[in-house]
């Protein structure tokens, strides 16, 4: 089980990396205890190239998880 301090540190790291790569476009960033991952939802829809670019910039393993009404969604594994 991951402690909340670690989760917050990882969320801060993800926020910093997304802001550096895409600018301020995070709609939602939360920890999902059932999936044991961080879910990242953006305010914009990314094309394939932007999805790959963001995934390559994240220091934690991640996968594109689809699109929501707000934008692209990624899963970040801890």
């Amino acid at each position: 089980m991951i402690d909340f301090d670690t989760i917050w540190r990882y969320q801060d790291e993800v926020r910093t990396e997304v802001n550096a790569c895409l600018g301020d476009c995070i709609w939602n960033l939360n920890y999902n205890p059932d999936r044991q991952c961080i879910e990242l939802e953006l305010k914009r829809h990314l094309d394939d190239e932007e999805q790959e670019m963001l995934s390559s910039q994240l220091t934690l393993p991640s996968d594109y998880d689809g699109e929501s009404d707000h934008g692209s969604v990624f899963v970040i594994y801890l």
Side-chain angles (χ1 to χ4, degrees):
M1 181 90 172
I2 297 177
D3 63 81
F4 285 110
D5 287 335
T6 302
I7 294 167
W8 291 327
R9 184 173 51 85
Y10 285 137
Q11 286 177 326
D12 188 47
E13 183 178 316
V14 168
R15 179 175 274 107
T16 299
E17 293 164 349
V18 170
N19 288 344
C21 186
L22 300 172
D24 183 21
C25 67
I26 294 176
W27 175 262
N28 190 25
L29 179 66
N30 65 345
Y31 177 71
N32 182 326
D34 295 331
R35 293 175 76 182
Q36 296 184 355
C37 67
I38 294 174
E39 296 173 332
L40 167 66
E41 183 177 2
L42 301 176
K43 292 186 227 177
R44 57 185 270 219
H45 299 277
L46 304 181
D47 62 28
D48 291 343
E49 187 176 304
E50 291 171 313
Q51 292 167 15
E52 289 177 23
M53 178 186 63
L54 177 59
S55 290
S56 71
Q57 295 299 316
L58 296 172
T59 56
L60 295 168
S62 64
D63 283 324
Y64 170 72
D65 201 36
E67 297 293 318
S68 71
D69 290 339
H70 302 287
S72 297
V73 180
F74 292 82
V75 175
I76 300 154
Y77 304 102
L78 304 179

